[in-house]
């Protein structure tokens, strides 16, 4: 079985500092990367910044800065954010790097060699904000201004010599590919949107620009720069050292297991990118998942709308893990989700402090007091104990399967429900009343400790630092976390000392006005 896993986030435009939407994509990608790692996979996890094109050139001009200097500064804030979010990315790519330029020019040469590129003239609408071409029927007139219907961003008329990619030629092969690879585009609703767009007919795609210079030059015509999306999409293979397809990284990790993106850029990933790869005779990624948007007052959070929530401010106030938990749990994965500080505070108080933190404190304090600070050795499981313990064993493969289908909601619901049941179990079993029956008391304590271990393993991809803090009870270290061991009821060694741990989450005083 293939035990390599390659996951990518979109590479972000460094036209302004990162916001909660960017943090969201990156945190979800990190969730998958960490899960796969604790399930024994060798994981490559790529993120980075998309630095060419008119949008960036104009943003730099507006600030009177040299374009590369402008990119250096903002790209660094994205790189810093990766650390602040505790991402486990194995690489961070910038499209202004030499390794990437070489890779893009090589891909261009392949497309040209295979007769998929020709020189002509483009006349049509272009949105600089989306770096996208739109057909006339995708444009509307609002108060005398031409706007793209989909993204609501302004468009301008473009009329210039341009190279074209023969996208129309790939219409049928793409439809065939979607058909024979039904999981290629997820979720299903978005797949249908893509298929109907392709079925409505694909026109050849303009893939170079002549009227500005901030981009990668077309190999044999320095008057043109390569279209920023052809440039950007290639990052997924340039980070693996393409064109050297004999390189270890490329051999190990291409095709990618999962390109995780926002639904706004699905067309580029599910149509253009596979078409470029088909034309270059390269394998296609295994899956594209288009997640929903983080909304602020029911509108997409974006730089241009000015309704940005700054992840760093939220982290300063509440801590990183509460934010990671909140985004993963409260934004139903695949759909759009409004976020609010009020709900974040509720999550911290009820799920993290009460349900998880309190359970860890309670059972460890009880063990210290009643079992000489040791994991009980003499135990005998009964039906009530096995009922919760077996849940992990019985669902192990299902959980894996759900993760492979990006069912984040199932994963988190499983954790929340099990925590709820475990708290109830500990209350109902009343170990504090069993001091005359040490076998039973020991068994209840052992069972609860085992569940704390298993749940902490499952929480590790979501709230890594807090999970590790909880695992200090057992002196379990990060590299020892092995997802498959949650099926084991007797993992913890009896008679081993446990440790007292600090409070995991502080409750938030809520202002109920
Ligand atoms: O599109 N909610 O970069 P970008 C959720 N450079 N996710 C959001 C979001 C929101 N409100 N706003 C942004 C680009 N995102 C290109 C990508 S890839 C080869 C090139 C996330 O800076 C989401 O993942 O505009 C979206 O797809 C991405 O940021 C777009 O970031």
């Amino acid at each position: 079985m293939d035990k390599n896993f390659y996951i990518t986030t979109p590479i972000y435009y460094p036209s302004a500092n990162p916001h909660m939407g960017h943090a969201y994509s990156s945190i979800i990608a990190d969730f998958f990367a960490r899960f796969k790692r604790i399930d024994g996979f060798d994981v490559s996890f790529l993120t980075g910044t998309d630095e060419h094109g008119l949008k960036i050139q104009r943003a730099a001009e507006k600030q009177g800065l040299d374009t590369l200097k402008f990119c250096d500064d903002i790209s660094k804030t994205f790189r810093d954010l990766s650390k602040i979010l505790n991402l486990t990315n194995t690489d961070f790519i910038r499209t202004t790097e030499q390794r990437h330029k070489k890779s893009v020019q090589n891909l261009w040469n392949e497309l040209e060699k295979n007769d998929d590129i020709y020189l002509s003239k483009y006349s049509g609408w272009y949105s600089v904000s989306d770096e996208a071409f739109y057909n006339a029927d995708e444009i509307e007139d609002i108060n005398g201004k031409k706007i793209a219907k989909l993204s609501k961003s302004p468009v301008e008329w473009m009329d210039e010599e341009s190279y074209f990619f023969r996208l129309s030629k790939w219409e049928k092969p793409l439809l065939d590919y979607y058909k024979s690879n039904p999981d290629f585009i997820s979720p299903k609703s978005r797949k249908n949107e893509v298929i109907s767009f392709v079925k409505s007919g694909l026109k050849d795609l303009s893939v170079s620009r002549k009227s500005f210079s901030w981009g990668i030059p077309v190999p044999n015509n320095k008057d043109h720069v390569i279209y920023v999306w052809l440039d950007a999409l290639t990052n997924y293979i340039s980070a693996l050292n393409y064109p050297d397809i004999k390189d270890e990284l490329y051999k190990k990790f291409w095709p990618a297991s999962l390109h995780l993106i926002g639904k706004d850029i699905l067309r580029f990933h599910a149509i253009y990118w596979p078409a470029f790869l088909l034309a270059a005779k390269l394998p296609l990624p295994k899956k594209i998942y288009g997640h929903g948007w983080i909304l602020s007052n029911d509108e997409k959070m974006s730089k241009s709308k000015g309704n940005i929530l700054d992840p760093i401010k939220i982290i300063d106030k509440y801590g990183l893990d509460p934010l990671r938990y909140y985004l993963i749990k409260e934004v139903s994965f695949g759909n759009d989700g409004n976020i609010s500080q009020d709900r974040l505070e509720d999550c911290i108080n009820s799920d993290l402090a009460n349900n998880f933190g309190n359970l860890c404190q309670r059972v460890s304090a009880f063990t210290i007091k009643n079992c000489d600070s040791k994991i009980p050795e003499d135990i005998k499981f009964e039906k009530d104990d096995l009922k919760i313990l077996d849940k992990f064993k019985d669902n192990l493969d299902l959980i894996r399967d759900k993760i492979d289908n990006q069912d984040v909601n199932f994963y988190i619901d499983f954790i929340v429900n099990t925590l709820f049941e475990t708290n109830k179990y500990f209350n109902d079993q009343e170990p504090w009343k069993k001091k005359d029956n040490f076998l039973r008391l020991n068994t209840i304590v052992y069972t609860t400790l085992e569940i704390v271990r298993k749940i902490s393993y499952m929480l590790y991809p979501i709230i890594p630092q807090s999970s590790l803090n909880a695992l200090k009870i057992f002196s379990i270290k990060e590299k020892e976390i092995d997802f498959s061991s949650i099926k084991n009821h007797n993992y913890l060694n009896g008679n081993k000392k446990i440790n007292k741990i600090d409070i995991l989450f502080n409750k938030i005083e809520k202002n109920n006005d």
Side-chain angles (χ1 to χ4, degrees):
M1 189 186 151
D2 178 11
K3 276 276 190 179
N4 299 321
F5 185 79
Y6 178 32
I7 183 163
T8 64
T9 72
I11 46 169
Y12 306 112
Y13 288 127
S15 50
N17 285 340
H19 61 71
M20 195 62 87
H22 303 125
Y24 179 67
S25 292
S26 293
I27 287 171
I28 298 281
D30 189 57
F31 163 78
F32 287 116
R34 284 180 186 266
F35 178 86
K36 284 291 177 181
R37 227 175 263 125
I38 62 167
D39 201 23
F41 284 73
D42 195 350
V43 174
S44 181
F45 169 16
L46 178 69
T47 186
T49 43
D50 178 4
E51 306 188 6
H52 291 128
L54 197 49
K55 178 180 170 119
I56 302 293
Q57 183 176 310
R58 283 190 185 163
E61 274 164 7
K62 218 167 147 190
Q63 296 201 10
L65 287 174
D66 166 71
T67 322
L68 185 58
K69 161 86 177 84
F70 175 81
C71 290
D72 285 347
D73 291 347
I74 304 187
S75 178
K76 184 173 176 306
T77 67
F78 277 90
R79 200 187 280 262
D80 291 347
L81 184 69
S82 304
K83 300 212 173 71
I84 294 169
L85 298 177
N86 198 3
L87 303 184
T88 52
N89 54 300
T90 49
D91 197 354
F92 184 102
I93 193 159
R94 299 184 55 186
T95 54
T96 44
E97 288 172 57
Q98 201 47 43
R99 59 171 172 162
H100 176 72
K101 291 184 188 168
K102 175 178 149 202
S103 177
V104 172
Q105 288 187 325
N106 210 282
L107 182 66
W108 178 281
N109 287 338
E110 284 298 301
L111 300 180
E112 201 165 38
K113 191 177 86 195
N114 297 343
D115 187 33
D116 270 290
I117 283 183
Y118 62 92
L119 189 61
S120 182
K121 187 172 175 250
Y122 181 81
S123 303
W125 296 107
Y126 191 76
S127 156
V128 175
S129 168
D130 304 340
E131 294 285 17
F133 303 93
Y134 289 109
N135 297 329
D137 60 350
E138 293 177 298
I139 302 300
E140 59 189 343
D141 203 309
I142 295 181
N143 302 331
K145 283 204 174 111
K146 301 284 184 200
I147 304 282
K149 285 183 195 165
L150 259 175
S151 63
K152 306 286 176 225
S153 61
V155 293
E156 45 198 80
W157 188 255
M158 203 184 117
D159 215 340
E160 65 186 44
E161 182 186 82
S162 172
Y163 284 94
F164 280 78
F165 170 71
R166 291 190 200 283
L167 185 62
S168 56
K169 175 175 140 188
W170 297 100
E171 189 178 309
K172 174 125 192 347
L174 281 173
L175 289 170
D176 291 345
Y177 190 83
Y178 302 148
K179 203 166 182 182
S180 47
N181 296 276
D183 290 334
F184 179 59
I185 306 167
S186 270
K188 266 208 176 65
S189 53
R190 301 213 212 295
K191 167 175 143 177
N192 298 335
E193 282 166 29
V194 170
I195 294 181
S196 47
F197 183 81
V198 176
K199 277 190 175 154
S200 72
L202 292 178
K203 289 203 296 196
D204 288 351
L205 178 70
S206 163
V207 283
S208 77
R209 297 291 311 263
K210 209 179 167 183
S211 53
F212 65 92
S213 58
W214 183 241
I216 300 177
V218 164
N220 293 316
N221 187 344
K222 303 285 181 260
D223 292 341
H224 288 250
V225 291
I226 297 175
Y227 174 41
V228 63
W229 272 101
L230 173 51
D231 164 344
L233 288 160
T234 308
N235 90 90
Y236 301 130
I237 51 175
S238 51
L240 301 179
N241 297 329
Y242 173 83
D244 184 0
I245 58 172
K246 293 213 169 67
D247 184 272
E248 270 313 304
L249 269 183
Y250 182 90
K251 279 201 305 203
K252 202 162 164 188
F253 292 114
W254 193 256
S257 316
L258 179 60
H259 288 323
L260 184 73
I261 54 166
K263 64 180 183 181
D264 46 332
I265 54 174
L266 192 59
R267 195 183 283 185
F268 304 96
H269 283 79
I271 303 173
Y272 300 170
W273 180 225
F276 297 149
L277 290 167
L278 285 171
K281 301 186 173 55
L282 292 172
L284 270 49
K286 291 179 196 149
K287 190 179 266 187
I288 319 280
Y289 191 101
H291 67 65
W293 285 335
I294 302 285
L295 308 176
S296 170
N297 301 326
D298 290 316
E299 278 208 319
K300 182 185 180 225
M301 195 180 287
S302 71
K303 298 163 243 198
S304 48
K305 293 207 179 84
N307 58 353
I308 300 286
L309 256 187
D310 181 350
I312 295 177
K313 284 202 182 117
I314 299 281
I315 293 167
D316 283 346
K317 185 160 177 199
Y318 299 103
L320 169 64
D321 280 355
L323 174 68
R324 289 179 62 119
Y325 181 86
Y326 174 72
L327 290 175
I328 292 174
K329 171 165 180 241
E330 290 287 315
V331 182
S332 162
F333 192 60
N335 300 318
D336 294 348
N338 260 300
I339 63 171
S340 81
Q341 293 202 30
D342 193 45
R343 286 294 305 138
L344 169 61
E345 292 180 357
D346 286 345
C347 247
I348 296 175
N349 287 348
S350 66
D351 289 27
L352 295 176
N354 272 354
N355 252 354
F356 180 56
N358 208 18
L359 178 71
C360 296
Q361 290 298 340
R362 242 177 128 190
V363 65
S364 53
F366 189 89
T367 314
I368 290 168
K369 192 157 168 236
N370 298 287
C371 307
D372 191 23
S373 300
K374 287 181 189 148
I375 296 170
E377 197 163 27
D378 256 351
I379 56 165
K380 185 165 178 281
F381 292 133
E382 291 183 4
K383 207 172 97 230
D384 286 342
D385 316 319
L386 289 170
K387 197 173 148 215
I388 310 193
L389 290 170
D390 281 344
K391 256 187 91 171
F392 293 90
K393 182 167 68 108
D394 296 345
N395 286 296
L396 189 83
D397 287 329
L398 181 66
I399 294 168
R400 287 188 170 125
D401 192 58
K402 295 285 184 184
I403 289 285
D404 286 338
N405 286 293
Q406 291 72 47
D407 194 342
V408 179
N409 302 330
F410 172 91
Y411 188 89
I412 187 88
D413 285 350
F414 182 90
I415 294 176
V416 173
N417 293 337
T418 312
L419 273 173
F420 184 79
E421 279 169 49
T422 312
N423 276 300
K424 184 171 181 323
Y425 162 86
F426 198 71
N427 282 340
D428 291 353
Q429 295 293 326
E430 301 180 312
W432 48 90
K433 288 192 183 162
K434 303 272 166 17
K435 293 188 182 159
D436 53 351
N437 179 356
F438 256 87
L439 182 65
R440 189 63 203 137
L441 181 147
N442 279 345
T443 309
I444 298 164
V445 169
Y446 188 94
T447 303
T448 314
L449 287 171
E450 251 303 335
I451 298 170
V452 164
R453 178 188 75 84
K454 295 175 203 292
I455 292 274
S456 301
Y457 280 21
M458 285 191 70
L459 278 170
Y460 168 79
I462 305 175
I463 47 171
Q465 190 52 55
S466 310
S467 147
L468 292 174
N469 290 345
L471 289 170
K472 283 184 187 151
I473 297 176
F474 316 106
S475 310
I476 293 177
K477 301 273 178 323
E478 187 167 18
K479 58 178 183 313
E480 294 169 72
I481 301 177
D482 168 12
F483 174 71
S484 68
S485 75
I486 69 165
K487 66 175 183 294
N488 186 345
H489 297 349
N490 300 93
Y491 181 91
L492 294 173
N493 288 329
N495 216 21
K496 194 173 167 224
K497 277 259 180 215
I498 67 151
N499 305 304
K500 185 174 172 352
I501 54 161
D502 296 333
I503 298 278
L504 292 175
F505 302 96
N506 287 313
K507 277 198 162 186
I508 311 284
E509 286 288 341
K510 287 202 69 166
N511 189 348
N512 287 325
D513 298 348

